[in-house]
Amino acid sequence: MCLAIPSKVLSIDSEKNTATIETLGVSREASLDLMQEEVQVGEYVLLHIGYVMSKIDTDSALESIELYKQIVQDMDEEEYLE
């Protein structure tokens, strides 16, 4: 099973065709090589194995991020109980 994680674009490096993105508080560089449409700073995108795969609207991105946070919290609590 593969996950594409919603991430916010913080900056774009046109020379390297990469974007600096933020995912759940962690910043990283991701390739834009697979994107066919232009990506802008401030937009949300879906990240998969280091590549930006597509754009996602802000409301859907924020909803997904909240669900991921809840999953992580639930996993942490479950681990604590074991």
Side-chain angles (χ1 to χ4, degrees):
M1 180 173 145
C2 298
L3 294 175
I5 302 172
S7 305
K8 187 173 187 176
V9 178
L10 302 177
S11 65
I12 296 172
D13 184 333
S14 298
E15 288 184 22
K16 295 189 329 186
N17 201 35
T18 60
T20 300
I21 58 169
E22 184 267 325
T23 309
L24 297 173
V26 177
S27 295
R28 70 190 82 209
E29 189 174 80
S31 175
L32 295 170
D33 289 344
L34 300 179
M35 284 298 294
Q36 299 204 0
E37 59 184 306
E38 190 173 336
V39 175
Q40 302 293 322
V41 171
E43 291 183 314
Y44 283 88
V45 294
L46 292 176
L47 172 70
H48 178 65
I49 60 169
Y51 289 89
V52 173
M53 304 298 288
S54 64
K55 292 182 185 184
I56 183 172
D57 68 89
T58 300
D59 290 339
S60 295
L62 295 175
E63 183 179 342
S64 294
I65 289 167
E66 287 305 313
L67 289 171
Y68 281 117
K69 286 179 181 178
Q70 185 62 49
I71 290 168
V72 170
Q73 181 180 345
D74 291 349
M75 289 172 59
D76 287 345
E77 289 173 3
E78 204 172 284
E79 185 175 296
Y80 178 75
L81 294 174
E82 289 179 0

Coordinates of all heavy atoms in Angstrom, one line a residue:
M1 N 0.8 -1.2 0.0 CA 0.0 0.0 0.0 C 0.9 1.2 0.0 O 1.9 1.3 0.7 CB -0.9 0.0 1.2 CG -1.8 1.2 1.3 SD -2.9 0.9 2.7 CE -3.1 2.6 3.3
C2 N 0.6 2.2 -0.8 CA 1.3 3.4 -0.9 C 0.5 4.6 -0.4 O -0.7 4.6 -0.6 CB 1.8 3.7 -2.3 SG 2.8 2.4 -3.0
L3 N 1.1 5.6 0.2 CA 0.5 6.8 0.7 C 1.0 8.0 -0.1 O 2.2 8.1 -0.3 CB 0.7 7.0 2.2 CG 0.1 6.0 3.1 CD1 0.5 6.3 4.5 CD2 -1.4 6.0 3.0
A4 N 0.2 8.9 -0.4 CA 0.6 10.2 -1.0 C 0.2 11.2 0.1 O -0.9 11.3 0.5 CB -0.1 10.5 -2.3
I5 N 1.2 11.9 0.6 CA 1.0 12.7 1.8 C 0.8 14.2 1.4 O 1.7 14.7 0.7 CB 2.2 12.6 2.8 CG1 2.3 11.1 3.2 CG2 2.0 13.5 4.0 CD1 3.5 10.8 4.0
P6 N -0.2 14.9 1.8 CA -0.4 16.3 1.5 C 0.7 17.1 2.2 O 1.0 16.9 3.3 CB -1.7 16.6 2.2 CG -2.4 15.3 2.4 CD -1.3 14.3 2.6
S7 N 1.3 18.0 1.4 CA 2.4 18.8 1.8 C 2.2 20.2 1.2 O 1.8 20.4 0.1 CB 3.7 18.2 1.3 OG 3.8 16.9 1.7
K8 N 2.7 21.2 2.0 CA 2.6 22.6 1.6 C 3.9 23.0 0.9 O 5.0 22.8 1.4 CB 2.3 23.5 2.8 CG 2.0 24.9 2.4 CD 1.6 25.8 3.5 CE 1.2 27.1 3.1 NZ 0.7 27.9 4.2
V9 N 3.8 23.7 -0.2 CA 5.0 24.2 -1.0 C 5.5 25.4 -0.3 O 4.8 26.4 -0.2 CB 4.7 24.4 -2.4 CG1 5.9 25.0 -3.2 CG2 4.1 23.2 -3.1
L10 N 6.8 25.4 0.2 CA 7.4 26.5 0.8 C 8.2 27.4 -0.1 O 8.3 28.6 0.0 CB 8.3 26.1 2.0 CG 7.6 25.3 3.1 CD1 8.6 24.8 4.1 CD2 6.5 26.0 3.7
S11 N 8.9 26.7 -1.1 CA 9.7 27.4 -2.1 C 9.9 26.5 -3.3 O 9.7 25.3 -3.2 CB 11.1 27.9 -1.5 OG 11.8 26.7 -1.1
I12 N 10.3 27.1 -4.4 CA 10.6 26.4 -5.6 C 12.0 26.8 -6.1 O 12.3 27.9 -6.2 CB 9.5 26.7 -6.6 CG1 8.1 26.2 -6.1 CG2 9.8 26.0 -8.0 CD1 7.0 26.6 -6.9
D13 N 12.7 25.7 -6.5 CA 14.0 26.0 -7.2 C 13.9 25.6 -8.7 O 13.9 24.4 -9.0 CB 15.1 25.1 -6.5 CG 16.5 25.3 -7.1 OD1 16.6 25.7 -8.2 OD2 17.5 25.1 -6.3
S14 N 13.7 26.5 -9.5 CA 13.4 26.3 -10.9 C 14.6 25.6 -11.6 O 14.4 24.8 -12.5 CB 13.1 27.6 -11.7 OG 11.9 28.2 -11.1
E15 N 15.8 25.9 -11.2 CA 17.0 25.4 -11.8 C 17.1 23.9 -11.6 O 17.5 23.1 -12.5 CB 18.3 26.0 -11.3 CG 18.5 27.5 -11.8 CD 19.8 28.1 -11.4 OE1 20.7 27.3 -11.0 OE2 19.8 29.3 -11.3
K16 N 16.8 23.4 -10.4 CA 16.8 22.0 -10.0 C 15.5 21.3 -10.3 O 15.4 20.1 -10.1 CB 17.3 21.8 -8.6 CG 18.7 22.2 -8.4 CD 19.3 21.9 -7.0 CE 18.4 21.8 -5.8 NZ 19.1 21.6 -4.6
N17 N 14.4 22.1 -10.6 CA 13.1 21.6 -10.7 C 12.6 20.8 -9.5 O 12.1 19.7 -9.5 CB 12.9 20.7 -12.0 CG 11.5 20.6 -12.4 OD1 10.7 21.5 -12.3 ND2 11.1 19.4 -12.9
T18 N 12.8 21.5 -8.3 CA 12.4 20.9 -7.0 C 11.6 21.9 -6.2 O 11.7 23.1 -6.5 CB 13.7 20.5 -6.2 OG1 14.5 21.6 -6.0 CG2 14.5 19.4 -6.9
A19 N 11.0 21.4 -5.2 CA 10.2 22.3 -4.3 C 10.6 21.9 -2.9 O 10.9 20.7 -2.6 CB 8.7 22.1 -4.5
T20 N 10.8 22.9 -2.0 CA 10.9 22.6 -0.6 C 9.5 22.6 -0.1 O 8.7 23.5 -0.3 CB 11.7 23.7 0.1 OG1 13.0 23.8 -0.5 CG2 11.8 23.4 1.6
I21 N 9.1 21.5 0.6 CA 7.8 21.3 1.0 C 7.8 21.0 2.5 O 8.8 20.5 3.1 CB 7.1 20.1 0.3 CG1 7.8 18.9 0.4 CG2 6.9 20.5 -1.2 CD1 7.1 17.6 -0.1
E22 N 6.7 21.2 3.2 CA 6.5 20.9 4.6 C 5.4 19.9 4.8 O 4.3 20.0 4.2 CB 6.2 22.2 5.3 CG 6.1 22.0 6.9 CD 4.7 21.7 7.3 OE1 3.7 22.2 6.8 OE2 4.5 20.9 8.3
T23 N 5.8 18.8 5.4 CA 4.9 17.7 5.7 C 4.8 17.4 7.2 O 5.8 17.0 7.7 CB 5.3 16.4 4.9 OG1 5.6 16.7 3.6 CG2 4.3 15.3 5.1
L24 N 3.7 17.7 7.8 CA 3.6 17.4 9.2 C 4.7 18.0 10.1 O 5.3 17.3 10.9 CB 3.4 15.9 9.5 CG 2.2 15.3 8.9 CD1 2.2 13.8 9.0 CD2 0.9 15.8 9.5
G25 N 5.1 19.2 9.7 CA 6.2 19.9 10.5 C 7.6 19.6 10.0 O 8.6 20.1 10.6
V26 N 7.8 18.8 9.0 CA 9.1 18.4 8.5 C 9.3 19.0 7.1 O 8.4 18.7 6.3 CB 9.3 16.9 8.5 CG1 10.7 16.5 7.9 CG2 9.1 16.3 9.9
S27 N 10.4 19.7 6.9 CA 10.6 20.3 5.6 C 11.6 19.4 4.8 O 12.5 18.8 5.4 CB 11.3 21.7 5.7 OG 10.4 22.6 6.3
R28 N 11.4 19.2 3.6 CA 12.2 18.4 2.7 C 12.2 18.9 1.3 O 11.2 19.6 0.9 CB 11.9 17.0 2.8 CG 10.5 16.7 2.1 CD 10.0 15.3 2.4 NE 9.3 15.4 3.7 CZ 9.2 14.4 4.5 NH1 9.7 13.2 4.2 NH2 8.6 14.5 5.7
E29 N 13.1 18.5 0.5 CA 13.1 18.8 -0.9 C 12.4 17.7 -1.7 O 12.7 16.5 -1.4 CB 14.5 19.0 -1.4 CG 14.6 19.6 -2.8 CD 16.1 19.9 -3.2 OE1 16.8 18.9 -3.5 OE2 16.5 21.1 -3.1
A30 N 11.6 18.0 -2.7 CA 10.9 17.0 -3.5 C 11.0 17.4 -5.0 O 11.0 18.6 -5.3 CB 9.5 16.9 -3.1
S31 N 11.1 16.4 -5.8 CA 11.2 16.6 -7.3 C 9.9 17.0 -7.9 O 8.8 16.5 -7.5 CB 11.7 15.3 -7.9 OG 11.7 15.5 -9.3
L32 N 10.0 17.9 -8.8 CA 8.8 18.3 -9.6 C 8.8 17.7 -11.0 O 7.9 18.1 -11.8 CB 8.7 19.9 -9.7 CG 8.5 20.6 -8.4 CD1 8.8 22.1 -8.6 CD2 7.2 20.4 -7.8
D33 N 9.7 16.8 -11.2 CA 9.8 16.2 -12.5 C 8.6 15.5 -13.1 O 8.4 15.4 -14.3 CB 11.0 15.2 -12.6 CG 12.3 15.8 -12.5 OD1 12.4 17.1 -12.7 OD2 13.3 15.1 -12.1
L34 N 7.7 15.0 -12.2 CA 6.5 14.3 -12.6 C 5.3 15.2 -12.8 O 4.2 14.7 -13.2 CB 6.2 13.1 -11.7 CG 7.2 12.1 -11.5 CD1 6.8 11.0 -10.5 CD2 7.6 11.4 -12.9
M35 N 5.4 16.5 -12.4 CA 4.3 17.4 -12.5 C 4.2 18.0 -13.9 O 5.1 18.4 -14.5 CB 4.5 18.6 -11.5 CG 4.2 18.2 -10.1 SD 2.5 17.7 -9.8 CE 1.6 19.2 -10.2
Q36 N 2.9 17.9 -14.4 CA 2.7 18.5 -15.7 C 2.1 19.9 -15.6 O 2.2 20.7 -16.6 CB 1.7 17.6 -16.5 CG 2.3 16.2 -16.6 CD 1.7 15.5 -17.8 OE1 0.8 16.0 -18.5 NE2 2.2 14.3 -18.0
E37 N 1.6 20.3 -14.5 CA 1.1 21.7 -14.3 C 2.1 22.4 -13.4 O 2.8 21.8 -12.6 CB -0.3 21.7 -13.8 CG -0.5 21.0 -12.5 CD -2.0 21.0 -12.1 OE1 -2.6 22.1 -12.0 OE2 -2.5 19.9 -11.8
E38 N 2.0 23.7 -13.4 CA 2.9 24.5 -12.6 C 2.5 24.5 -11.2 O 1.3 24.6 -10.9 CB 2.9 26.0 -13.2 CG 4.0 26.9 -12.5 CD 4.1 28.2 -13.2 OE1 3.7 28.3 -14.3 OE2 4.5 29.1 -12.5
V39 N 3.4 24.5 -10.3 CA 3.2 24.5 -8.8 C 3.6 25.9 -8.3 O 4.7 26.4 -8.6 CB 3.9 23.4 -8.1 CG1 3.8 23.5 -6.6 CG2 3.5 22.0 -8.7
Q40 N 2.8 26.4 -7.4 CA 3.1 27.7 -6.8 C 3.4 27.6 -5.3 O 2.8 26.7 -4.6 CB 1.9 28.7 -7.0 CG 1.5 28.9 -8.4 CD 2.6 29.7 -9.2 OE1 3.2 30.6 -8.7 NE2 2.8 29.3 -10.5
V41 N 4.2 28.5 -4.8 CA 4.4 28.6 -3.3 C 3.1 28.8 -2.6 O 2.3 29.6 -3.1 CB 5.4 29.7 -3.0 CG1 5.5 29.9 -1.5 CG2 6.8 29.4 -3.6
G42 N 2.9 28.1 -1.5 CA 1.6 28.2 -0.8 C 0.6 27.1 -1.1 O -0.4 26.9 -0.4
E43 N 0.7 26.5 -2.3 CA -0.2 25.4 -2.7 C 0.1 24.1 -1.9 O 1.2 23.9 -1.4 CB -0.2 25.2 -4.2 CG -0.7 26.3 -5.0 CD -0.7 26.0 -6.5 OE1 0.3 25.5 -7.0 OE2 -1.7 26.3 -7.1
Y44 N -0.9 23.3 -1.9 CA -0.7 21.9 -1.3 C -0.6 20.9 -2.5 O -1.3 21.1 -3.5 CB -1.9 21.5 -0.4 CG -1.8 22.2 0.9 CD1 -2.4 23.5 1.1 CD2 -1.2 21.6 2.0 CE1 -2.3 24.1 2.4 CE2 -1.1 22.2 3.2 CZ -1.6 23.5 3.4 OH -1.6 24.1 4.6
V45 N 0.3 20.0 -2.3 CA 0.6 19.0 -3.3 C 0.6 17.6 -2.6 O 0.7 17.5 -1.3 CB 1.9 19.2 -4.0 CG1 1.9 20.5 -4.8 CG2 3.1 19.2 -3.0
L46 N 0.5 16.6 -3.4 CA 0.6 15.2 -2.8 C 2.0 14.7 -3.1 O 2.5 14.8 -4.2 CB -0.4 14.3 -3.5 CG -1.8 14.5 -3.1 CD1 -2.8 13.6 -3.8 CD2 -2.0 14.4 -1.6
L47 N 2.7 14.3 -2.0 CA 4.1 13.8 -2.1 C 4.1 12.3 -2.0 O 3.4 11.7 -1.2 CB 4.9 14.4 -0.9 CG 6.3 13.8 -0.8 CD1 7.2 14.3 -1.9 CD2 6.8 14.3 0.6
H48 N 4.9 11.6 -2.9 CA 5.0 10.2 -2.9 C 6.5 9.8 -3.2 O 6.9 10.2 -4.3 CB 4.1 9.5 -3.8 CG 4.2 8.0 -3.9 ND1 3.9 7.2 -2.8 CD2 4.6 7.2 -4.8 CE1 4.1 6.0 -3.1 NE2 4.5 5.9 -4.4
I49 N 7.2 9.2 -2.4 CA 8.6 8.7 -2.5 C 9.5 9.8 -3.1 O 10.3 9.6 -4.0 CB 8.7 7.4 -3.3 CG1 8.1 7.5 -4.7 CG2 8.1 6.3 -2.5 CD1 8.5 6.3 -5.6
G50 N 9.3 11.0 -2.6 CA 10.2 12.1 -3.0 C 9.8 12.9 -4.2 O 10.5 13.8 -4.7
Y51 N 8.7 12.6 -4.8 CA 8.1 13.2 -6.0 C 6.8 13.9 -5.7 O 5.9 13.3 -5.1 CB 7.9 12.3 -7.1 CG 9.2 11.8 -7.7 CD1 9.9 10.6 -7.2 CD2 9.8 12.4 -8.8 CE1 11.0 10.2 -7.7 CE2 11.0 12.0 -9.3 CZ 11.6 10.9 -8.8 OH 12.8 10.4 -9.3
V52 N 6.6 15.1 -6.2 CA 5.3 15.7 -6.1 C 4.5 15.1 -7.2 O 4.9 15.1 -8.4 CB 5.5 17.3 -6.3 CG1 4.1 17.9 -6.4 CG2 6.2 17.9 -5.1
M53 N 3.4 14.6 -6.9 CA 2.5 13.8 -7.9 C 1.4 14.7 -8.4 O 1.1 14.5 -9.6 CB 1.9 12.6 -7.2 CG 3.0 11.7 -6.6 SD 4.1 11.0 -7.8 CE 3.1 9.8 -8.6
S54 N 0.8 15.5 -7.6 CA -0.3 16.3 -8.1 C -0.6 17.4 -7.0 O -0.1 17.3 -5.9 CB -1.6 15.4 -8.3 OG -2.0 14.9 -7.1
K55 N -1.5 18.3 -7.4 CA -1.9 19.3 -6.5 C -3.2 18.8 -5.8 O -3.8 17.9 -6.3 CB -2.3 20.6 -7.3 CG -1.2 21.4 -7.9 CD -1.7 22.6 -8.6 CE -0.7 23.4 -9.3 NZ -1.2 24.6 -9.9
I56 N -3.4 19.4 -4.6 CA -4.6 19.0 -3.9 C -5.2 20.4 -3.3 O -4.4 21.2 -2.9 CB -4.3 18.0 -2.7 CG1 -5.6 17.6 -2.0 CG2 -3.3 18.5 -1.8 CD1 -5.4 16.5 -1.0
D57 N -6.5 20.5 -3.3 CA -7.1 21.7 -2.8 C -6.8 21.8 -1.3 O -6.7 20.9 -0.6 CB -8.6 21.8 -3.1 CG -9.4 20.9 -2.4 OD1 -9.9 21.2 -1.3 OD2 -9.6 19.7 -2.9
T58 N -6.8 23.1 -0.8 CA -6.4 23.4 0.6 C -7.3 22.7 1.6 O -6.8 22.1 2.5 CB -6.4 24.9 0.8 OG1 -5.5 25.5 -0.1 CG2 -6.0 25.2 2.2
D59 N -8.6 22.7 1.4 CA -9.5 22.1 2.3 C -9.3 20.6 2.4 O -9.2 20.1 3.6 CB -11.0 22.4 1.9 CG -11.4 23.8 2.1 OD1 -10.7 24.5 2.9 OD2 -12.4 24.2 1.5
S60 N -9.1 19.9 1.3 CA -8.9 18.5 1.3 C -7.5 18.2 2.0 O -7.4 17.2 2.7 CB -8.9 17.9 -0.1 OG -10.2 18.0 -0.6
A61 N -6.5 19.0 1.7 CA -5.2 18.8 2.3 C -5.3 18.9 3.8 O -4.7 18.0 4.5 CB -4.2 19.8 1.7
L62 N -5.9 20.0 4.3 CA -5.9 20.2 5.7 C -6.7 19.1 6.4 O -6.4 18.7 7.5 CB -6.5 21.6 6.0 CG -5.7 22.7 5.5 CD1 -6.4 24.1 5.8 CD2 -4.3 22.7 6.2
E63 N -7.8 18.6 5.8 CA -8.6 17.5 6.4 C -7.7 16.3 6.4 O -7.7 15.6 7.5 CB -9.8 17.3 5.5 CG -10.7 16.2 6.1 CD -12.0 16.0 5.2 OE1 -12.4 16.9 4.4 OE2 -12.6 15.0 5.4
S64 N -7.0 16.0 5.4 CA -6.2 14.8 5.4 C -5.1 14.9 6.4 O -4.8 13.9 7.1 CB -5.5 14.6 4.0 OG -6.5 14.3 3.0
I65 N -4.5 16.0 6.5 CA -3.4 16.2 7.5 C -3.9 16.0 8.9 O -3.3 15.3 9.8 CB -2.8 17.6 7.4 CG1 -2.0 17.7 6.1 CG2 -1.9 18.0 8.6 CD1 -1.6 19.1 5.7
E66 N -5.1 16.5 9.2 CA -5.7 16.2 10.6 C -5.9 14.7 10.8 O -5.7 14.2 11.9 CB -7.0 17.0 10.7 CG -6.8 18.5 10.9 CD -5.8 18.8 12.1 OE1 -6.0 18.3 13.2 OE2 -4.9 19.6 11.9
L67 N -6.4 14.0 9.8 CA -6.6 12.6 9.9 C -5.2 11.9 10.2 O -5.2 11.0 11.0 CB -7.2 12.0 8.7 CG -8.7 12.4 8.5 CD1 -9.2 12.0 7.1 CD2 -9.5 11.8 9.6
Y68 N -4.2 12.3 9.4 CA -2.8 11.7 9.7 C -2.4 12.0 11.1 O -1.8 11.1 11.8 CB -1.8 12.2 8.7 CG -1.9 11.6 7.3 CD1 -2.2 12.4 6.2 CD2 -1.6 10.3 7.1 CE1 -2.2 11.8 4.9 CE2 -1.6 9.7 5.9 CZ -2.0 10.4 4.8 OH -2.0 9.9 3.5
K69 N -2.6 13.2 11.6 CA -2.2 13.5 13.0 C -2.9 12.6 14.0 O -2.4 12.1 14.9 CB -2.5 15.0 13.2 CG -1.5 15.9 12.6 CD -1.9 17.4 12.9 CE -0.9 18.4 12.2 NZ -1.3 19.8 12.5
Q70 N -4.2 12.4 13.7 CA -5.0 11.6 14.6 C -4.5 10.1 14.6 O -4.4 9.5 15.6 CB -6.5 11.6 14.3 CG -7.4 10.9 15.2 CD -7.3 11.4 16.6 OE1 -7.5 12.6 16.8 NE2 -7.1 10.6 17.6
I71 N -4.2 9.6 13.4 CA -3.6 8.3 13.3 C -2.4 8.1 14.1 O -2.2 7.1 14.8 CB -3.4 7.9 11.8 CG1 -4.8 7.7 11.1 CG2 -2.6 6.6 11.7 CD1 -4.7 7.6 9.6
V72 N -1.5 9.1 13.9 CA -0.2 9.1 14.6 C -0.4 9.1 16.1 O 0.2 8.3 16.9 CB 0.7 10.2 14.2 CG1 2.0 10.3 15.1 CG2 1.2 10.0 12.7
Q73 N -1.3 10.0 16.6 CA -1.6 10.1 18.0 C -2.2 8.7 18.5 O -1.8 8.3 19.6 CB -2.6 11.2 18.3 CG -3.0 11.3 19.7 CD -4.0 12.5 19.9 OE1 -4.3 13.3 19.1 NE2 -4.6 12.5 21.1
D74 N -3.1 8.1 17.8 CA -3.7 6.9 18.2 C -2.6 5.8 18.2 O -2.6 4.9 19.2 CB -4.8 6.4 17.2 CG -6.0 7.3 17.3 OD1 -6.1 8.1 18.3 OD2 -6.9 7.2 16.4
M75 N -1.7 5.8 17.3 CA -0.6 4.8 17.3 C 0.3 5.0 18.5 O 0.7 4.0 19.2 CB 0.2 4.9 16.0 CG -0.6 4.4 14.8 SD 0.3 4.7 13.2 CE 1.8 3.8 13.5
D76 N 0.6 6.2 18.8 CA 1.4 6.5 20.0 C 0.7 6.1 21.3 O 1.4 5.5 22.2 CB 1.7 8.0 20.1 CG 2.7 8.5 19.0 OD1 3.4 7.6 18.4 OD2 2.8 9.7 18.8
E77 N -0.6 6.3 21.4 CA -1.3 5.9 22.6 C -1.4 4.4 22.7 O -1.2 3.8 23.8 CB -2.7 6.5 22.6 CG -2.7 8.0 22.8 CD -4.1 8.6 22.6 OE1 -5.1 7.9 22.3 OE2 -4.2 9.9 22.7
E78 N -1.5 3.7 21.6 CA -1.6 2.3 21.5 C -0.3 1.7 22.0 O -0.2 0.7 22.8 CB -2.0 1.8 20.1 CG -2.6 0.5 20.1 CD -3.1 0.2 18.6 OE1 -4.1 0.7 18.3 OE2 -2.4 -0.6 18.0
E79 N 0.8 2.2 21.5 CA 2.1 1.8 21.8 C 2.4 2.0 23.3 O 3.0 1.1 24.0 CB 3.2 2.5 21.0 CG 4.6 2.0 21.2 CD 5.6 2.7 20.3 OE1 5.5 2.6 19.1 OE2 6.5 3.5 20.9
Y80 N 1.9 3.1 23.9 CA 2.1 3.4 25.3 C 1.3 2.4 26.1 O 1.8 2.0 27.2 CB 1.6 4.8 25.6 CG 1.7 5.2 27.0 CD1 2.9 5.5 27.6 CD2 0.6 5.3 27.8 CE1 3.0 5.9 28.9 CE2 0.6 5.6 29.2 CZ 1.9 5.9 29.7 OH 2.0 6.3 31.0
L81 N 0.2 1.9 25.7 CA -0.6 1.0 26.5 C 0.0 -0.4 26.5 O -0.3 -1.2 27.3 CB -2.0 1.0 25.9 CG -2.8 2.3 26.1 CD1 -4.2 2.1 25.4 CD2 -3.0 2.6 27.5
E82 N 0.8 -0.7 25.5 CA 1.3 -2.1 25.4 C 2.4 -2.4 26.3 O 3.0 -2.1 27.1 CB 1.8 -2.4 24.0 CG 0.7 -2.5 23.0 CD 1.2 -2.7 21.6 OE1 2.4 -2.8 21.3 OE2 0.4 -2.8 20.7

